[in-house]
Amino acid sequence: MTNLLRIAAAALFVFAASGSLASAQTPRKFDFTVTWSVFPETVLATGSIAMQDEADKYRMGMRARARLAFPRVDWKGFFATEGRLLATGRAPSLFQRRSVTPTRSEKAVIVWKEEGGAPETKLDENVAPTTGDVVDPKEVSPEAVDPLTFLALMYDKIIATNGASCDMTVLTWDGVRLAELEATTTAQVRAAQVDCQIRYRSIRGLPDVSKFVAKEGSTTRIVRFEKKYGFWRPVWIRIDGDFAGFRSTFMTKISVAK
């Protein structure tokens, strides 16, 4: 169950996104809840997220908490990124993620240098996978960005096109997993609503690629954005797939923080 919640929490990065074109957009703080169709009345996770653009810099941060008595779940996640706003887009400078349970704590830190080259990656011993195709951080392309920045770039495009498109493909690196993330426009109401499907294509770093590929083939991730009061905002994330032996759905509902 904890792994399932991590999957859902990963999708929540989208709340933090906002673009250089969206510097006048408010509000920038959101609350969220995650439910699973197998237990539709039970809130699996809650959290909050915030984003800020400052001149030529941007920062994003998210906290999430999942705590259930049965099945027993006690997990906290912390994610943050900061970087530069450029004429060509966003360039991350620092990404940090931490996952905490009563028996385990994982931490990863990635630093990008302005002069280029592979980003510097620091992992504690709990993070690195014990099996699978392990990535050598020295071989990671300097063009790779963290997952939060990918979603910020997607949001940038939605705002720039007034919801006409979120199509893009970006190389991402989270300290362990190197992947290609693709956003595709699947449905829209002109200048009012757009649904974006996110596909995850692993390159290297997964402990068991075969199981992942099999599950990924049946998993669909859709993020809906709506334009309300003149501003584009995420309103929900839906993840359909085979989880814990059930064909089911994770639904994340997003609300403006008060």
Side-chain angles (χ1 to χ4, degrees):
M1 177 67 76
T2 302
N3 288 334
L4 301 182
L5 292 171
R6 288 175 180 172
I7 293 171
L12 302 176
F13 288 143
V14 73
F15 308 156
S18 183
S20 55
L21 294 176
S23 59
Q25 288 215 347
T26 56
R28 302 285 189 82
K29 296 181 180 180
F30 300 90
D31 295 325
F32 58 83
T33 59
V34 181
T35 56
W36 189 24
S37 59
V38 175
F39 304 106
E41 303 302 320
T42 301
V43 174
L44 300 182
T46 61
S48 61
I49 197 158
M51 184 273 173
Q52 184 175 7
D53 284 351
E54 296 179 345
D56 59 348
K57 298 180 181 180
Y58 68 95
R59 293 185 296 172
M60 298 181 241
M62 185 188 82
R63 293 174 178 265
R65 179 70 187 269
R67 192 170 187 177
L68 300 173
F70 181 80
R72 182 167 176 75
V73 175
D74 191 355
W75 171 84
K76 292 185 288 186
F78 307 88
F79 312 89
T81 191
E82 59 184 64
R84 295 172 292 140
L85 291 170
L86 307 175
T88 54
R90 294 177 182 266
S93 301
L94 174 67
F95 173 71
Q96 301 180 74
R97 61 179 176 86
R98 186 183 178 197
S99 178
V100 180
T101 71
T103 59
R104 186 180 180 88
S105 176
E106 302 178 353
K107 185 178 180 180
V109 179
I110 307 172
V111 178
W112 282 262
K113 300 179 180 179
E114 290 191 26
E115 59 270 25
E120 294 183 354
T121 302
K122 298 180 181 179
L123 306 174
D124 65 31
E125 61 181 8
N126 294 322
V127 174
T130 56
T131 61
D133 190 8
V134 179
V135 180
D136 181 351
K138 296 180 181 179
E139 297 179 358
V140 174
S141 169
E143 301 301 318
V145 302
D146 63 90
L148 273 74
T149 296
F150 158 74
L151 291 161
L153 291 169
M154 181 183 68
Y155 201 174
D156 288 348
K157 188 163 186 179
I158 291 171
I159 295 167
T161 65
N162 197 24
S165 174
C166 52
D167 298 349
M168 65 188 317
T169 302
V170 176
L171 184 68
T172 63
W173 170 239
D174 72 353
V176 173
R177 291 162 287 270
L178 186 64
E180 183 181 80
L181 290 181
E182 179 185 27
T184 305
T185 308
T186 59
Q188 61 183 184
V189 177
R190 184 176 177 83
Q193 179 179 293
V194 60
D195 290 356
C196 305
Q197 182 171 349
I198 299 178
R199 294 183 176 88
Y200 184 102
R201 298 190 181 96
S202 173
I203 297 175
R204 292 178 63 187
L206 289 176
D208 191 328
V209 177
S210 61
K211 289 184 178 180
F212 171 81
V213 171
K215 179 173 289 187
E216 189 66 11
S218 65
T219 299
T220 303
R221 305 175 187 85
I222 300 293
V223 184
R224 171 166 291 182
F225 297 86
E226 292 181 355
K227 195 171 187 178
K228 296 184 177 181
Y229 311 110
F231 302 112
W232 283 99
R233 301 170 183 170
V235 292
W236 53 253
I237 299 172
R238 179 184 177 113
I239 304 177
D240 296 307
D242 297 322
F243 304 112
F246 298 94
R247 183 65 186 176
S248 54
T249 298
F250 279 100
M251 178 63 77
T252 299
K253 293 183 179 180
I254 310 162
S255 61
V256 175
K258 296 180 179 180

